[in-house]
Amino acid sequence: MNKTIPKRAGEESEARVPTDLRKALAAAPKAKAQWSDLTPIARRDFISWIDSAKQPETRRRRIERACSMLAAGKRRPCCYSIVSFDLYTALKAIPKAKVQWSDLTSIERRDFIGWMDSAKQPEAHKRRIEKACLILAAGKRRP
């Protein structure tokens, strides 16, 4: 009988590692070792940063940079706003908001994240995430 182990509260599901990143990590043992030690959220942030590149050349450079950052012991992509899991989930549920989020510049994303993170109470933070998704779905680029 095959039993599945239930996921504990707060555990993140693993993001699918793109083929080009997987190949680059296989060629860089130090980077691969650091990758294995990252949390699922940190891995998702690296993958999201790489996937947000619009040009193939930019993507290639980001993969190279990710490998060098990992080999140097970095645990997060630099110059990249960390998207909370709650925001990631909310964007996934509203396709228009997710598309608009993808089109934002890094500064616009940072502004949204700063606005959401400035809410100190968990409920206020959650309400701001919901409001941000509605703002994005309406095509606006600022909170």
Side-chain angles (χ1 to χ4, degrees):
M1 187 164 135
N2 188 7
K3 292 184 179 181
T4 59
I5 300 171
K7 197 165 51 163
R8 290 183 294 188
E11 281 188 17
E12 301 296 325
S13 60
E14 280 293 324
R16 190 184 79 66
V17 181
T19 305
D20 49 357
L21 176 58
R22 192 171 338 137
K23 287 178 182 178
L25 290 170
K30 279 186 172 181
K32 187 175 183 178
Q34 179 73 352
W35 179 264
S36 299
D37 192 43
L38 294 178
T39 64
I41 292 173
R43 288 188 198 128
R44 187 195 70 225
D45 287 343
F46 268 105
I47 292 167
S48 178
W49 175 60
I50 290 165
D51 283 346
S52 69
K54 291 183 170 70
Q55 300 291 323
E57 182 59 25
T58 304
R59 181 183 179 89
R60 185 193 60 73
R61 279 194 315 266
R62 286 186 184 180
I63 288 172
E64 287 177 5
R65 189 165 176 208
C67 288
S68 66
M69 284 191 288
L70 288 163
K74 302 276 185 185
R75 300 187 63 81
R76 295 276 186 187
C78 75
C79 309
Y80 181 71
S81 298
I82 297 172
V83 180
S84 73
F85 185 70
D86 292 335
L87 176 57
Y88 180 76
T89 304
L91 288 170
K92 192 175 179 181
I94 304 173
K96 282 185 177 181
K98 186 175 181 180
V99 168
Q100 181 72 0
W101 178 262
S102 298
D103 290 340
L104 295 178
T105 66
S106 60
I107 293 169
E108 290 169 332
R109 287 182 189 177
R110 185 192 64 209
D111 290 347
F112 264 103
I113 291 170
W115 174 71
M116 288 179 277
D117 288 348
S118 68
K120 301 299 180 201
Q121 299 297 321
E123 283 303 312
H125 186 260
K126 187 175 181 178
R127 283 191 304 273
R128 284 201 179 175
I129 288 173
E130 292 168 359
K131 187 172 181 181
C133 288
L134 294 175
I135 291 168
L136 289 164
K140 296 182 183 171
R141 300 179 74 88
R142 297 264 183 227

